[in-house]
Amino acid sequence: MQGCTPNMKLYSLCLTGALILLIVYACFYSESIRPVLHDIGIIDRKSDRFHDNGANSTCGLLLLRTLSSHHPSKTRNKILPQGLLYKKPSVVSGRTDVVSVAPWMAPIVWEGGFDSVVLDSIYEQMNITVATTVFALGKYVAFLKDFLETAEKHYMVGYKVDYYIFTDRPGDIPNVTLAEGRRVRVLKVPSSNRWQEISARRMEMIQLLIENTIRGQADYIFCLDVDSKFHAHFGVEVLGRLVATIHPGYYATDRGSLPYERRPESRAYIPWGEGDFYYGGAVFGGLLEDVRAMTETCRRNFEADTANGIEAAWQEESHLNRYFTYNKPSKLLSPEYLWQDIHGWSKDVKIIRFSGVAKNYADFRPN
């Protein structure tokens, strides 16, 4: 290049090399790249927007485009160790009493549809961490001991788990013995006089937790209701990009009877004749960025409803169903993963893995 000094050429080569390294880093560690962009001044820490500063902005755009087409290497390749012996799978025999795949080709996870030995042999090599949010506000903190004790017996056993407990009563958090590599992190939040508000604020808190705390510290996040217990294996078979759970009260209900938000004035509105399943708000999760995008959308829609003086029929669950209707989950969990103790046994559900505890809501809700 005419007029280009040796020093300028060296600088250009160094800059190009650094950019290539950052792109490679983005491909393999996409959950933690955004803090790096914060540190080097490409995007603003508070607004998460690009600085308008020429080359940096161009580099940042290229990096985030790379991010959008790649996921962490841990989620791409499922490598089975040589020598593992397990039952041969079949494509002609198995459960025929339930549907195991959604119309958009997302698997529906049922007992009999996966092999835990095979899955654990794959995922144990990946060194994954699963962030898990739990909201224990007001009197609901009373459910936390059973939740944590049963989780330590059945939930992601053998894997690193960080429990993020949102509570207004940090002094009441029980002392539960955790397995190695598993931690409880207590986050103090304000109390509320309305359970509906507590429910609705969850999306905002989860979004901010991912953006400000969890990026770079976990591979997946699952959001679970505290007034629940684990009863059986709840493991890596649930992992996916964006995971929804079919509500146990409506899994056999026709579309017209699903309790969607039906008022067009609400951002949670699902028109008659549309929708797939009714998804429970007590269990959802996935990769950090997919869950962050979902919670941000639900939060914005809820705030828009509030500004217009409307509250969706089932608060954040209504907004969750709206999102999943038009942003299809990559994996669905059957009602095994979200049962309710008030319901009797079902012939379809061979095993109950996680269930909501039977209770008198008046004893726990503030209103």
Side-chain angles (χ1 to χ4, degrees):
M1 185 167 58
Q2 189 175 5
C4 185
T5 67
N7 286 341
M8 290 175 63
K9 289 180 178 178
L10 180 61
Y11 175 79
S12 178
L13 282 171
C14 290
L15 185 62
T16 302
L19 179 58
I20 291 171
L21 287 174
L22 280 172
I23 291 173
V24 171
Y25 182 84
C27 292
F28 289 95
Y29 299 97
S30 64
E31 299 296 354
S32 55
I33 187 64
R34 193 174 292 267
V36 176
L37 300 183
H38 288 157
D39 292 340
I40 63 179
I42 290 177
I43 56 178
D44 183 79
R45 288 181 182 274
K46 293 184 178 180
S47 67
D48 238 14
R49 296 180 184 278
F50 290 115
H51 288 302
D52 187 14
N53 56 357
N56 271 358
S57 185
T58 301
C59 292
L61 183 59
L62 179 58
L63 283 170
L64 289 186
R65 282 178 177 169
T66 304
L67 274 176
S68 66
S69 60
H70 292 82
H71 299 290
S73 58
K74 294 178 182 179
T75 68
R76 287 205 305 268
N77 302 317
K78 293 180 171 56
I79 301 172
L80 189 72
Q82 186 174 349
L84 180 71
L85 301 179
Y86 57 95
K87 183 179 178 181
K88 182 185 180 301
S90 173
V91 295
V92 294
S93 63
R95 290 192 66 172
T96 58
D97 56 327
V98 291
V99 175
S100 59
V101 64
W104 56 95
M105 296 303 295
I108 304 174
V109 184
W110 292 93
E111 172 69 8
F114 62 91
D115 189 324
S116 292
V117 173
V118 173
L119 287 171
D120 283 335
S121 296
I122 293 170
Y123 279 92
E124 283 169 357
Q125 305 174 76
M126 297 184 183
N127 192 33
I128 63 170
T129 297
V130 181
T132 303
T133 64
V134 186
F135 287 76
L137 278 80
K139 296 179 180 178
Y140 275 78
V141 74
F143 295 104
L144 193 53
K145 189 173 188 293
D146 279 348
F147 176 94
L148 289 172
E149 287 182 346
T150 58
E152 286 300 291
K153 293 178 181 178
H154 303 294
Y155 176 64
M156 298 294 170
V157 174
Y159 298 91
K160 291 184 288 187
V161 173
D162 287 337
Y163 299 102
Y164 291 89
I165 300 173
F166 294 83
T167 185
D168 55 349
R169 298 184 179 185
D172 294 337
I173 301 301
N175 185 17
V176 174
T177 301
L178 305 179
E180 183 179 356
R182 297 160 76 96
R183 300 177 295 180
V184 165
R185 297 187 173 186
V186 179
L187 304 171
K188 192 175 188 306
V189 295
S191 302
S192 177
N193 293 323
R194 298 182 68 245
W195 68 265
Q196 294 92 337
E197 181 181 339
I198 295 171
S199 173
R201 284 165 47 208
R202 290 202 312 167
M203 292 299 183
E204 176 184 2
M205 294 181 189
I206 294 167
Q207 176 199 343
L208 296 177
L209 179 70
I210 295 172
E211 292 176 352
N212 300 332
T213 304
I214 300 182
R215 277 183 174 141
Q217 298 185 26
D219 303 286
Y220 296 90
I221 182 170
F222 269 79
C223 309
L224 307 175
D225 272 6
V226 69
D227 52 338
S228 310
K229 287 184 180 181
F230 294 88
H231 303 280
H233 173 86
F234 190 124
V236 293
E237 73 278 359
V238 308
L239 299 180
R241 281 194 57 185
L242 188 61
V243 182
T245 307
I246 299 171
H247 195 291
Y250 303 99
Y251 75 94
T253 302
D254 65 85
R255 178 184 281 160
S257 299
L258 297 177
Y260 294 144
E261 172 55 65
R262 299 298 192 180
R263 293 169 293 176
E265 300 81 23
S266 172
R267 292 288 186 92
Y269 171 59
I270 298 176
W272 294 98
E274 297 187 29
D276 304 303
F277 305 99
Y278 189 78
Y279 301 106
V283 180
F284 60 88
L287 288 176
L288 299 190
E289 288 306 316
D290 291 87
V291 175
R292 190 210 63 79
M294 184 269 290
T295 54
E296 180 183 26
T297 300
C298 290
R299 170 194 177 181
R300 291 184 184 277
N301 287 340
F302 177 83
E303 290 173 348
D305 272 7
T306 300
N308 291 325
I310 190 169
E311 183 174 84
W314 293 104
Q315 296 78 45
E316 101 280 6
E317 191 172 77
S318 295
H319 289 282
L320 186 76
N321 273 273
R322 164 78 188 196
Y323 187 88
F324 284 147
T325 295
Y326 303 108
N327 301 268
K328 300 301 189 190
S330 63
K331 181 175 287 188
L332 305 180
L333 305 184
S334 71
E336 297 171 2
Y337 293 86
L338 177 55
W339 198 245
Q340 292 175 325
D341 289 352
I342 59 172
H343 291 162
W345 197 266
S346 167
K347 62 180 179 61
D348 307 311
V349 178
K350 306 296 184 185
I351 184 171
I352 295 174
R353 305 180 188 277
F354 185 63
S355 69
V357 177
K359 57 194 166 294
N360 181 2
Y361 284 103
D363 293 336
F364 295 94
R365 289 178 172 174
N367 63 303

